[in-house]
Structure formats: structure tokens, C-alpha cells
Amino acid sequence: MSSPLPETHLALFRETTGQPLELKHLPTPQPVPGNVIVKILYVPVVSYTKEIQNGTRQYPYPKPFVPGPGGIGRVAALGPDATSLCLEDLVYVDSVVRSRDEPSDMYLLGAVQGGTAGSAKLARDMWRNGTYAEYCSVPLENAYRLDEEALLGGELGYKLTDLTLLARYLVPYGGLRDINVCVGETIVVAPATGAFGGAAVAVALAMGANVIAMGRNEATLHSLVEHFGARVKSVTITNDVGADTQALKKAASGPIDAVLEISPPAAAQSLHIKSAILALKKGGRVSIMGGIREDYGIPMNAVMRNDLSLKGKWMYEREDVKSLIRMVETGRLAIGERNGVKIEGDFAFAEWEKAFDVASENARWDAQVVMKPGV
Ligand SMILES: NC(=O)c1ccc[n+]([C@@H]2O[C@H](COP(=O)([O-])OP(=O)(O)OC[C@H]3O[C@@H](n4cnc5c(N)ncnc54)[C@H](OP(=O)(O)O)[C@@H]3O)[C@@H](O)[C@H]2O)c1
């Protein structure tokens, strides 16, 4: 089944790294076996998009390409093997594209290749272009139908812009599920004041855990505690490991079961990860999700003596996506404005430079920039 698509569409095109994006007419992608063509409505802009796009963060991606890691859209055309999706369905486009014959080959659509030849092939030959476009060709399994009635109507009353934030909550959900966070546990989120850290606080609470939020900025930590209430305590990072470890233990008033680490590359010299590891109970678990590129001083003796587990996690699994969407549809997890996150601007694609600047200036748990097709 298919619907008529325009011959061309407008997309933000990148010829090569470091060059400015260009809003350009490209041939509209067409339905083929295994894909769905999504008409894009809104896309999220993470705070470090500018760094990825200007090459400061050297993410490998295919060139030329259309950037854009996921978003919200409507099904515009379907490959012949679709059995469930229908035209006009509201869908969440997830960026985690996996090879069908080797799922460890993974490409973040419109953002970054993994380190394997298979991942590069996926990006180069099949799913090259992302969602900063009017239309995007998406693997069928990456278009998740949303319960429009439950989400947009009734008690929840979400706006479409809120729904672009699903990925922000999915990232920490992937890590928290990977270390099996359970109801009643106490989790350190470090740092908690950024976009993914703040989302980690919300998700951990929705999973039934209590949270200790670590951060440098006391005012932002205060805003987190004020918003989320008594199940969240905060500890300011002083980089005095002894003092920070004691502060975490005091804030917990009981054993600390796990840590979710989600630091940016700039935090490579900060000692908050070490303090959090040292505060863990025997048998504690750590999910390492941050973007630190350098090696980091792990307190080896404490890891050994306390039977600690350290696990890395890049993004999340398909089951996590379905599960988190259900949490949002059923009201178990509030996202976006219902969760204290203000949309700082919905910019047309033509305003991409301003959108990237505003996103970078608003790298906080309670702010989000989105873009939409348009000039
Ligand atoms: N594993 C995955 O799948 C995955 C997926 C997406 C992103 N990531 C990684 O997650 C990182 C965080 O993303 P984000 O969007 O949440 O970033 P963000 O909004 O910019 O937040 C950055 C956080 O780090 C803190 N921070 C910055 N510099 C620091 C320093 N020198 N020492 C200690 N804390 C510092 C900030 O605290 P202040 O409030 O004090 O500035 C803030 O809490 C990204 O850089 C990316 O690499 C990983």
C-alpha cells in the first residue's frame, strides 16, 4: 500500500563534516520492502547538536547525508510487507537502527555510526538520511505507532512537541533496565541536572526507585528536588571524593543500590563517578552511559571488595521502547511539559543555526528545543 508522495522534499543536507547545513530539495524517499515513509512533524534538538554538526564532537557518519536522530511524524507511505502500520498513523521514529541479520551492527539514524563495518554499511547503503527532512525512510520496526487518543486527548493532553522527547527518556531507561533497577531501590543519577540526567530522575522514580541527584549547580539541583518531591535528594559535586561519598551515603539513609552515569565529555576530569561508585552497597551496579572519551580512574579495590558490577550501555533495546511508550500512554511516566520540561522554541528547519544555538544555551533538565519542517 502506498500514498502519492511529492517528487521532491525539503531536507537539511550536509555535504561533508564542518560545512554548514543547506536546506535543499532532494528526491522524496519511496516505499520499498522493509521501510515506511514518515512525514516528519517535529524533531528534537539535543544540546550538543552544534558540536556534532560543526565537527567538535567527531561522530562518524556517512557523507553526504541528512542529519536528524528520530522524531514524531505520520505514516505517509508503506512498504508492501507492513502488516500493522496504517497510513496517517502517528508514529515515534526511533533512531536506533540495527542490522536485521546482525543486531550488534547499529547506526543511530542521522547521527552516528557504531564502530563496525556492518554499521557503516547500514548507514551508507540503506538508512543514510535522518529526520531533518519533510520525509524520512525508516525501517518498519523503527516506526512505533502511538496511541494518539490516549496521548493527545483525555487526561494526558500532550502536545506533539512533548512527544519528540520520548528519546530523552528512553536513553536512561535503557541503562536503568540494563542494570535491573527495582522498586524500592536507591539510585544515584550522576550528573542529574542535564537533559538525560533529569530524564533519568523521572524514569527511575516511575520505575519505583528513590533517587539521589548529583550535580555541580545547586540552584538546578534545588529545582529538580522541588519538582520531583521527597523521593529525590541531592548532593552537590565538590570533587572531594571522601566528602562527596559521605554526602551520598547520608542522603540515602540506607544502602545505595545502583548508579546511572550520564556525563558529557567535558566532565572527564570530574570525580563524581568515583564518589558514586565508592558510595555503593556490596553488590551494587553501575550503568555507564556518558560520553567521556578518555580513560577514567576506577577505584579498583572497592569494585573488587564490594562485588560491584560496571556495565556500559549504548542507547536501549527494542523492548525498552515499547515498554516506555506504554508507561507514557498509561500515565505512569510524565514527559515533556507535564514533567517540567519547557519547549524553548519550535524552529523551522531553515532556522537550524538558531535552533542549535538555543539548544546549546539551554542544556538543562527542564529545557528542550525542537524543529519542524518549514522555511
Ligand atoms: N549511552 C548513550 O546511549 C547516550 C545517549 C545519549 C547521550 N549520551 C551522552 O550523555 C551525555 C549527556 O547528555 P545531556 O544531553 O544530558 O547533556 P547536557 O544537557 O549538556 O547535560 C550535561 C550534564 O553534565 C554536567 N556537567 C557538564 N560539565 C561537567 C563537569 N565538568 N563536571 C561535572 N558535571 C558536568 C552538567 O551539569 P551542570 O548543570 O553543572 O552544567 C549537566 O548535568 C552526552 O554528552 C552524551 O555523550 C549517551
Side-chain angles (χ1 to χ4, degrees), residues 298-340:
I298 300 289
M300 299 290 284
N301 197 251
V303 172
M304 182 273 285
R305 285 277 164 84
N306 291 326
D307 300 346
L308 303 182
S309 312
L310 274 58
K311 252 183 129 178
K313 187 69 191 166
W314 191 27
M315 302 304 275
Y316 39 79
E317 302 300 314
R318 184 168 164 71
E319 282 312 309
D320 300 336
V321 184
K322 291 190 199 165
S323 163
L324 187 122
I325 288 174
R326 284 298 292 150
M327 283 167 74
V328 177
E329 287 173 345
T330 56
R332 173 87 193 159
L333 171 69
I335 66 168
E337 287 193 359
R338 296 188 73 239
N339 187 42

Side-chain angles (χ1 to χ4, degrees), residues 46-48 57 59 171 191-197 214-217 220 237 239 262-268 270 272 288-292 313-316 362-365:
V46 297
S47 67
Y48 48 93
R57 286 200 189 200
Y59 282 14
V171 167
T193 51
F196 290 110
M214 283 190 101
R216 299 181 299 180
N217 185 320
T220 317
I237 299 169
N239 278 321
I262 186 86
S263 318
S270 177
H272 62 274
I288 296 172
M289 295 203 80
I292 291 177
K313 187 69 191 166
W314 191 27
M315 302 304 275
Y316 39 79
N362 288 278
R364 298 190 316 272
W365 76 272

Side-chain angles (χ1 to χ4, degrees), residues 187-357:
I187 313 299
V188 175
V189 175
T193 51
F196 290 110
V201 175
V203 174
L205 291 174
M207 292 169 81
N210 296 322
V211 174
I212 304 173
M214 283 190 101
R216 299 181 299 180
N217 185 320
E218 288 194 9
T220 317
L221 283 174
H222 180 72
S223 70
L224 267 174
V225 173
E226 199 168 59
H227 177 78
F228 287 106
R231 283 171 55 209
V232 178
K233 308 279 183 254
S234 70
V235 165
T236 308
I237 299 169
T238 68
N239 278 321
D240 174 336
V241 173
D244 289 357
T245 304
Q246 283 315 311
L248 287 167
K249 287 183 175 175
K250 193 168 166 215
S253 61
I256 298 178
D257 300 280
V259 175
L260 181 92
E261 181 278 320
I262 186 86
S263 318
Q269 306 304 319
S270 177
L271 298 175
H272 62 274
I273 306 169
K274 187 170 179 183
S275 308
I277 291 173
L278 289 170
L280 278 168
K281 71 170 191 185
K282 198 170 178 79
R285 298 102 66 202
V286 184
S287 176
I288 296 172
M289 295 203 80
I292 291 177
R293 294 295 178 101
E294 291 93 329
D295 291 348
Y296 189 87
I298 300 289
M300 299 290 284
N301 197 251
V303 172
M304 182 273 285
R305 285 277 164 84
N306 291 326
D307 300 346
L308 303 182
S309 312
L310 274 58
K311 252 183 129 178
K313 187 69 191 166
W314 191 27
M315 302 304 275
Y316 39 79
E317 302 300 314
R318 184 168 164 71
E319 282 312 309
D320 300 336
V321 184
K322 291 190 199 165
S323 163
L324 187 122
I325 288 174
R326 284 298 292 150
M327 283 167 74
V328 177
E329 287 173 345
T330 56
R332 173 87 193 159
L333 171 69
I335 66 168
E337 287 193 359
R338 296 188 73 239
N339 187 42
V341 180
K342 187 167 169 256
I343 304 297
E344 288 293 339
D346 64 10
F347 297 94
F349 283 151
E351 303 171 286
W352 61 271
E353 252 177 315
K354 187 157 182 224
F356 295 179
D357 282 341

Side-chain angles (χ1 to χ4, degrees), residues 5 9 28-29 35-41 71-78 85 89-94 130-131 133-140 142-144:
L5 294 168
H9 72 136
T28 307
N35 83 345
V36 51
I37 307 300
V38 176
K39 186 175 190 341
I40 299 297
L41 299 173
I72 294 296
R74 288 201 183 274
V75 172
L78 285 158
L85 286 171
D89 275 349
L90 182 69
V91 289
Y92 161 65
V93 175
D94 190 65
T131 50
E134 286 181 290
Y135 292 90
C136 184
S137 168
V138 176
L140 267 177
N142 283 58
Y144 292 84

Side-chain angles (χ1 to χ4, degrees), residues 93-110:
V93 175
D94 190 65
S95 65
V96 181
V97 176
R98 294 181 198 275
S99 158
R100 286 162 179 163
D101 55 341
E102 181 44 77
S104 68
D105 288 328
M106 191 168 132
Y107 167 51
L108 291 199
L109 181 72

